[in-house]
């Protein structure tokens, strides 16, 4: 595995692969890698043998008072995991490498930047889209792989790609969970044993919603909320059911693929999860 930090080194590595006739797959991450991230790499390799992974904790997507400073950084452990996973290039830019002094937000999530995760984290999606756009420009991938775990994120990234990177294929990989159902997340390491048990209610709520979905969308949402009532220690932010194609709320009578979304704060840690439900 080649480790690069500067944009020039990155371009050289990617150009060399392209000269060998290889397509390029890209997996952007913020590090503190877990099985979820590794599953994205496996998915990337299904499309091409040449895989670039980035690790960059993007200051632009953290709001004031969020956990940018505290976000787990485990770069040497991560590099070992990526070498084991036979990743070709690990790109770990500094803020200066990537932004070159221009820390302006260049992308807008629009209305979706103001609802669900956007409501709780007002600057998050514009900052996320800005870094993803920079990374796409730097890596010039043919494929980019993202987790279904961050449903609103991948929805926005598809819109960004359609607008600015039409040749790029965005690939969605399923959410990897622990045996308890808890969706894997770099932030899970902040959970005490007690809070982990509380956090497991998010996945349980989604399952309860799915089980109730035969009675329609409103029942699914209500069942998920009812499950969360059993875990009052979790500060529930929202449960919502949205159309997978538009991210618009779904009501009774809907037919098609929907996503049941949930977000809650457990201890100090904000957790999100979601589940696809077809009506
Ligand atoms: P992050 O490092 O948290 O920014 O996530 C990097 C990528 O990994 C994103 O595309 C996430 O959606 C994805 N990801 C995070 N957790 C999981 C998971 N449990 N299963 C699948 N993908 C995940």
């Amino acid at each position: 595995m080649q480790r690069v930090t500067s944009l020039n080194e990155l371009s050289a590595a990617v150009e060399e692969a392209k000269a060998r006739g290889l397509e390029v797959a890209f997996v952007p991450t913020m590090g503190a890698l877990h099985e979820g991230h590794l599953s994205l790499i496996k998915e990337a390799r299904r499309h091409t043998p040449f895989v670039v992974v980035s690790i960059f904790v993007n200051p632009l997507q953290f709001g004031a008072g969020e956990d940018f400073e505290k976000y787990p950084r485990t770069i040497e452990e991560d590099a070992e995991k990526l070498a084991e996973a036979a990743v070709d290039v690990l790109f770990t830019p500094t803020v200066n490498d990537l932004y070159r002094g221009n820390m302006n937000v260049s992308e807008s999530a629009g209305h979706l930047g103001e609802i669900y995760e956007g409501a709780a984290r007002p600057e998050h999606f514009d900052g996320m889209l800005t870094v993803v756009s920079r990374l796409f420009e730097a890596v010039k991938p043919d494929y980019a792989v993202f987790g279904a775990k961050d449903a609103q994120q991948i929805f926005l990234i598809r819109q960004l790609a359609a607008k600015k990177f039409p040749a790029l294929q965005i690939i969605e990989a399923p959410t990897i969970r622990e045996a308890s159902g808890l969706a894997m997340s770099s932030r899970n390491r902040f959970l005490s044993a007690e809070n982990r048990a509380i956090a497991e209610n998010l996945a349980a709520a989604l399952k309860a919603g799915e089980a109730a979905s035969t009675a329609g969308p409103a029942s699914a949402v209500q069942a998920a909320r009812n499950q969360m009532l059993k875990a009052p220690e979790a500060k529930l932010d929202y449960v919502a059911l949205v159309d997978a194609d538009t991210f618009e709320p779904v009501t009774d009578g809907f037919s098609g693929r929907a996503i049941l979304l949930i977000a809650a704060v457990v201890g100090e840690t904000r957790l999100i999860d979601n589940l696809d439900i077809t009506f």
Side-chain angles (χ1 to χ4, degrees):
M1 182 176 76
Q2 203 181 337
R3 274 177 80 162
V4 302
T5 55
S6 75
L7 291 178
N8 287 345
E9 288 171 294
L10 172 73
S11 296
V14 168
E15 286 314 315
E16 199 253 336
K18 288 193 172 172
R20 285 191 281 139
L22 297 175
E23 289 189 308
V24 175
F26 177 42
V27 180
T29 82
M30 299 203 297
L33 301 179
H34 50 68
E35 288 297 321
H37 297 111
L38 299 179
S39 77
L40 304 187
I41 293 163
K42 285 202 195 98
E43 177 58 34
R45 193 158 296 109
R46 274 197 268 279
H47 299 272
T48 170
F50 191 82
V51 178
V52 178
V53 174
S54 64
I55 296 179
F56 182 64
V57 184
N58 173 33
L60 278 189
Q61 72 188 67
F62 288 79
E66 289 191 355
D67 58 355
F68 175 69
E69 267 84 32
K70 218 178 89 184
Y71 197 83
R73 289 164 173 86
T74 58
I75 184 68
E76 290 313 316
E77 256 171 69
D78 291 350
E80 265 173 44
K81 287 182 186 167
L82 295 174
E84 238 168 70
V87 163
D88 296 274
V89 177
L90 167 57
F91 178 44
T92 54
T94 63
V95 169
N96 277 340
D97 288 325
L98 205 60
Y99 288 114
R100 299 178 178 221
N102 177 6
M103 293 283 287
N104 295 329
V105 165
S106 63
E107 303 296 329
S108 167
H111 172 59
L112 265 187
E114 292 161 14
I115 56 176
Y116 308 128
E117 282 310 282
R121 309 184 64 191
E123 291 144 70
H124 171 65
F125 284 126
D126 292 352
M128 179 280 292
L129 287 171
T130 299
V131 78
V132 167
S133 183
R134 294 263 164 149
L135 288 167
F136 285 171
E137 282 161 8
V139 179
K140 300 189 172 59
D142 300 285
Y143 308 93
V145 187
F146 294 87
K149 158 87 171 26
D150 297 282
Q152 199 170 351
Q153 168 171 285
I154 191 166
F155 187 90
L156 285 164
I157 289 170
R158 283 188 199 284
Q159 286 185 336
L160 171 79
K163 189 178 70 178
K164 282 186 72 179
F165 306 92
L168 170 61
Q169 275 193 51
I170 303 297
I171 315 258
E172 179 169 333
T175 301
I176 303 298
R177 300 177 180 281
E178 295 182 2
S180 66
L182 178 66
M184 290 195 184
S185 162
S186 303
R187 289 187 171 97
N188 288 353
R189 67 188 69 206
F190 296 138
L191 297 171
S192 63
E194 198 182 320
N195 280 343
R196 191 169 275 264
I198 295 165
E200 287 165 7
N201 282 283
L202 274 76
L206 295 175
K207 280 283 173 199
E210 183 183 44
S213 66
T214 45
S219 300
V221 170
Q222 196 52 53
R225 290 210 177 108
N226 288 346
Q227 173 67 33
M228 293 309 289
L229 291 176
K230 297 180 194 159
E233 305 89 343
K235 285 176 227 101
L236 182 64
D237 182 357
Y238 58 82
V239 171
L241 189 64
V242 298
D243 183 333
D245 293 329
T246 61
F247 238 80
E248 292 292 330
V250 151
T251 49
D252 281 347
F254 173 82
S255 78
R257 196 168 75 85
I259 311 174
L260 185 58
L261 306 168
I262 189 165
V265 177
V266 176
E268 302 274 282
T269 308
R270 182 178 179 82
L271 299 171
I272 59 170
D273 199 352
N274 69 82
L275 194 64
D276 269 28
I277 300 181
T278 300
F279 290 91

